[in-house]
Amino acid sequence: MSKRISRGVRFDPWLLVTSSLFLLIGLLMVTTASGYVAEYYGLSPYHYGIRQGLYIAIGLTFGILAFKIKLNVWYKLTPVLMLFSFVTLILVLIPGIGREVNGALRWIPISFFNFQPAEVAKFAALTYIASYLHRQKDRIGSKISALIIPLFVMAVLGVLLLLEPDFGSTAIIFVVGLGLLFIAGVCLWRFAIVLAPTLIVMAVILYTSPYRRARLSGFLRPWEDAYNQGYQLVNSLIAIGRGKLSGVGIGESMSKLGYLPEAHTDFIFAIYAEEFGFFGVIFLVLIYMIFLYRTFNIGRRAEQLNLNFAAYISYGIGLWLGTQALIHMCVASGLLPTKGLTLPLMSYGGSSIITMMVGLGLLFRVDRVVQLKELQNYQDEQEAAAQREIEESKIRVAMK
């Protein structure tokens, strides 16, 4: 690839601006939402905000490294990432290794932060399924047997995640995986055959687990048990309601003062809605939609250039962040039961921020590859047109 073509490549401004906005708004909201909790534990009111800034800096470093790695290397690394995910998801279940918080074994303490294997599992599942669909592009639409391997991988990850338990991450992996299978062109009736048992199994898991039934009951009738199962949802709805149209102002939230648990993590959207109001929520939804549109635009262009692995990576990252943001907002708004999912690139958490910024680095790499290929094709077309013009000129001269 010539240096002249490489100089014509630029970072997608929409992706760059929306990603930066997520991180900046998230840093602001974590700082303002976590002050009370930090002081309760005898820490500086800026403790979690400073740590979030540190996680962003680490994530930026890993994101740049991810951008520097070529796509063919990422393609070869997908089995390694899957193996690492399986190992860490098993390790977190071992007493003494995994750390239990609120009855869930989801974290492995490492130095100054808690590593959450579920975040890596989402990214690993996405890249592995993208690589599989690249290899099986011709079979995925005609052979139902081609669906066995990705479904098996999702099922194993799902079982390990449900043992923690982590139903939310399981749902994300299945939505992204099934979404990629659908985009890859799987036959609709085959897709229905796959989707129906998946929904049935998830429903069975939901109704056979006592604590999930309790969550569902609190979701359906939160005001009837406002001081127990419905406590989080009730206070989340109160926070969103207080925001009205324009919000109460940055730092003026009342719900973050011990009323809404996990205000800087699982319910940061409620605090955001309280402080920025309906107009702020519309703005946030808009930038998520712009981000999602750009990822699908890059994926479509990659597919047109027969860069299938790059296309599925871009689609997958869009589905991942878009679905998780939608679920988080729906949970805070009372449209879905509590899942314990972070708001992508905004909620507090080292594993979530770092993993998603690695995903962003890979997305920007895909965008660069697509732009280079498009510019190369354009240059080839221009050179071919110029050559045809020269040949036609020679013919006209010879005829004279």
Side-chain angles (χ1 to χ4, degrees):
M1 198 72 68
S2 69
K3 291 183 179 179
R4 184 164 64 85
I5 292 178
S6 297
R7 284 196 295 269
V9 175
R10 298 289 184 269
F11 286 115
D12 187 307
W14 292 104
L15 282 181
L16 197 58
V17 169
T18 53
S19 302
S20 300
L21 282 173
F22 293 143
L23 293 170
L24 291 173
I25 295 172
L27 181 60
L28 173 65
M29 293 312 303
V30 167
T31 303
T32 183
S34 63
Y36 176 85
V37 176
E39 290 186 328
Y40 177 82
Y41 288 109
L43 303 169
S44 163
Y46 303 106
H47 174 79
Y48 291 103
I50 292 171
R51 287 174 71 93
Q52 183 78 343
L54 179 60
Y55 294 147
I56 291 173
I58 296 172
L60 182 61
T61 303
F62 278 96
I64 292 171
L65 290 174
F67 174 76
K68 294 291 185 182
I69 298 174
K70 295 181 178 179
L71 277 186
N72 63 333
V73 177
W74 276 110
Y75 181 78
K76 294 175 183 177
L77 283 175
T78 53
V80 178
L81 288 172
M82 280 306 309
L83 180 61
F84 177 76
S85 295
F86 286 135
V87 171
T88 54
L89 285 173
I90 293 171
L91 287 176
V92 77
L93 298 173
I94 300 175
I97 296 179
R99 180 188 177 190
E100 184 175 347
V101 178
N102 296 329
L105 280 167
R106 299 181 186 176
W107 298 269
I108 299 176
I110 299 176
S111 185
F112 64 92
F113 87 111
N114 293 318
F115 169 65
Q116 191 171 3
E119 297 297 333
V120 178
K122 297 174 196 173
F123 178 72
L126 182 161
T127 55
Y128 180 80
I129 293 172
S131 68
Y132 178 83
L133 292 175
H134 171 73
R135 293 190 299 271
Q136 302 292 331
K137 176 66 175 176
D138 297 331
R139 297 181 65 242
I140 203 70
S142 58
K143 302 286 186 181
I144 198 167
S145 59
L147 302 176
I148 294 175
I149 292 178
L151 290 175
F152 176 76
V153 168
M154 287 188 283
V156 174
L157 288 174
V159 168
L160 292 173
L161 286 166
L162 289 172
L163 289 174
E164 295 183 359
D166 189 347
F167 189 80
S169 295
T170 305
I172 294 293
I173 287 174
F174 271 89
V175 168
V176 172
L178 293 175
L180 286 177
L181 289 174
F182 181 77
I183 291 170
V186 64
C187 177
L188 285 179
W189 70 266
R190 293 188 179 94
F191 186 75
I193 289 175
V194 171
L195 184 61
T198 302
L199 295 176
I200 292 171
V201 169
M202 286 190 167
V204 169
I205 291 171
L206 183 64
Y207 282 100
T208 56
S209 174
Y211 95 95
R212 290 194 183 95
R213 285 203 308 273
R215 277 190 174 185
L216 184 61
S217 175
F219 158 68
L220 294 173
R221 297 178 293 275
W223 298 97
E224 294 180 8
D225 195 10
Y227 293 98
N228 191 15
Q229 292 297 333
Y231 183 78
Q232 274 187 309
L233 179 54
V234 165
N235 282 279
S236 178
L237 293 174
I238 290 172
I240 294 172
R242 286 193 73 241
K244 297 183 180 179
L245 286 178
S246 57
V248 297
I250 299 174
E252 298 300 318
S253 165
M254 291 294 293
S255 299
K256 68 185 181 183
L257 302 179
Y259 296 103
L260 180 59
E262 312 298 339
H264 60 303
T265 55
D266 298 348
F267 282 86
I268 197 168
F269 174 74
I271 304 300
Y272 173 87
E274 184 179 4
E275 296 191 351
F276 287 90
F278 177 75
F279 296 135
V281 169
I282 292 299
F283 173 74
L284 184 63
V285 171
L286 179 63
I287 58 177
Y288 270 114
M289 290 178 66
I290 292 172
F291 180 89
L292 184 61
Y293 169 77
R294 293 308 300 171
T295 59
F296 271 71
N297 177 265
I298 293 168
R300 177 185 57 80
R301 287 156 51 206
E303 206 166 8
Q304 289 173 346
L305 296 168
N306 292 320
L307 301 171
N308 293 321
F309 177 63
Y312 297 134
I313 286 290
S314 188
Y315 290 139
I317 291 174
L319 285 170
W320 175 21
L321 267 72
T323 301
Q324 188 159 322
L326 179 63
I327 291 176
H328 179 101
M329 293 179 190
C330 287
V331 165
S333 305
L335 299 176
L336 285 174
T338 304
K339 292 289 184 295
L341 288 172
T342 60
L343 187 59
L345 298 171
M346 290 183 62
S347 292
Y348 175 79
S351 297
S352 175
I353 287 290
I354 293 170
T355 306
M356 287 186 174
M357 291 189 73
V358 169
L360 283 179
L362 178 54
L363 179 62
F364 279 109
R365 182 71 193 187
V366 167
D367 182 46
R368 177 180 174 81
V369 169
V370 170
Q371 288 188 59
L372 285 171
K373 184 69 172 175
E374 288 174 337
L375 288 170
Q376 182 66 66
N377 288 350
Y378 177 76
Q379 185 185 56
D380 292 343
E381 289 172 2
Q382 292 299 308
E383 290 176 354
Q387 187 63 36
R388 286 195 302 269
E389 184 66 28
I390 291 171
E391 293 296 331
E392 290 173 0
S393 298
K394 288 180 179 179
I395 294 171
R396 286 194 296 266
V397 170
M399 290 176 66
K400 290 180 181 178

